[in-house]
Amino acid sequence: MELLAAGGWGLLAGSALLLGALLGYLARIPAGIVASIMAFGSGVLLSAVSFELIAEAHERGGLLATAIGALAGAVIYTLANVVLARRGARHRKRSGDQQPSETEQSGSGTAIALGALLDGVPESMVIGTSLLGGGSVSTVTVLAVFISNVPEGLSSASGMRRAGRGAKYVFALWAGIAVISAGAAMVGYGLLGGVPGPVLAAITALAGGAILAMIADTMIPEAFADAHLWIGLITVAGFLTAFAVSHL
């Protein structure tokens, strides 16, 4: 039952990508609003990584395991992101005209899809690991991933539309990633249940490091592109919202 619960929570958080994609593809939402939502989502994720992932990893395994895991996650994400960026996925979260079309760069659609997986899998796995030990799922983690996924899907789908990608491709992509998110949460719960505390701490921190790298590399630049001087205030509002929820 816990395994199915992990999958259900992962699917719920991942479904926000599809919701955002629907809004971004079908509606003409001003770039400033998209950027503001992205900044808020960045703040929420930063809070979740700080107080739910890194803090929990430190409590379970100590500073060394946490530092090694976080650095490893950042390195893995960055290297994978560099490879995908060279194949056309660099601006996968951008809502403007930055995304290349398939004509401009062959294979960019596949690279964007893989990039979306790269962004989403670590978030979903930590939802599954939060259920380990017989406790309830981390509400803050699910909330953070859900809130951040809406602007991610919204901004990316808007950019895909501008690059000439059809609705079938866009919605199939995000629906598929929502399903994979459920699977990643189940993997996080099913495969990591019996590992020693320091190992689980390192894996949790690894996901945290990957998410931090993703925020810095894709979400904050997109927010800054249009929110400009308001990005700091909006990001702090998101951070404090998640922090308040964690203390309810």
Side-chain angles (χ1 to χ4, degrees):
M1 290 300 294
E2 287 82 4
L3 185 65
L4 292 176
W9 287 113
L11 182 62
L12 173 64
S15 66
L17 289 167
L18 184 57
L19 173 61
L22 285 168
L23 293 172
Y25 196 90
L26 299 178
R28 298 296 190 271
I29 300 177
I33 293 178
V34 175
S36 297
I37 299 173
M38 188 73 80
F40 187 86
S42 298
V44 171
L45 267 185
L46 286 170
S47 180
V49 169
S50 301
F51 299 110
E52 296 291 316
L53 303 185
I54 299 300
E56 180 180 339
H58 181 265
E59 183 178 342
R60 282 176 169 169
L63 179 60
L64 181 60
T66 302
I68 291 174
L71 287 173
V75 169
I76 292 170
Y77 176 89
T78 300
L79 292 177
N81 194 49
V82 167
V83 172
L84 292 172
R86 291 174 178 173
R87 286 162 172 76
R90 179 176 181 82
H91 300 297
R92 59 185 176 273
K93 283 188 171 69
R94 304 302 294 270
S95 57
D97 298 321
Q98 297 92 343
Q99 287 189 28
S101 66
E102 202 66 25
T103 302
E104 293 171 328
Q105 187 166 358
S106 179
S108 58
T110 301
I112 289 172
L114 293 174
L117 282 176
L118 175 67
D119 297 337
V121 168
E123 299 172 342
S124 301
M125 288 191 68
V126 297
I127 291 176
T129 59
S130 72
L131 282 165
L132 295 175
S136 59
V137 70
S138 169
T139 303
V140 175
T141 301
V142 175
L143 178 65
V145 175
F146 187 93
I147 291 176
S148 66
N149 277 347
V150 172
E152 286 183 43
L154 192 159
S155 181
S156 184
S158 178
M160 290 176 183
R161 185 193 67 233
R162 290 175 179 269
R165 293 187 166 86
K168 183 177 180 180
Y169 169 86
V170 173
F171 298 139
L173 169 64
W174 293 114
I177 292 174
V179 173
I180 293 173
S181 296
M186 295 174 75
V187 168
Y189 178 85
L191 294 185
L192 303 178
V195 301
V199 177
L200 181 58
I203 294 173
T204 302
L206 186 146
I211 294 171
L212 279 175
M214 182 269 291
I215 294 169
D217 189 79
T218 61
M219 293 185 69
I220 290 179
E222 166 64 8
F224 181 77
D226 291 296
H228 296 296
L229 297 178
W230 293 103
I231 182 176
L233 178 61
I234 297 170
T235 303
V236 170
F239 185 95
L240 291 175
T241 298
F243 182 75
V245 171
S246 69
H247 286 74
L248 291 178

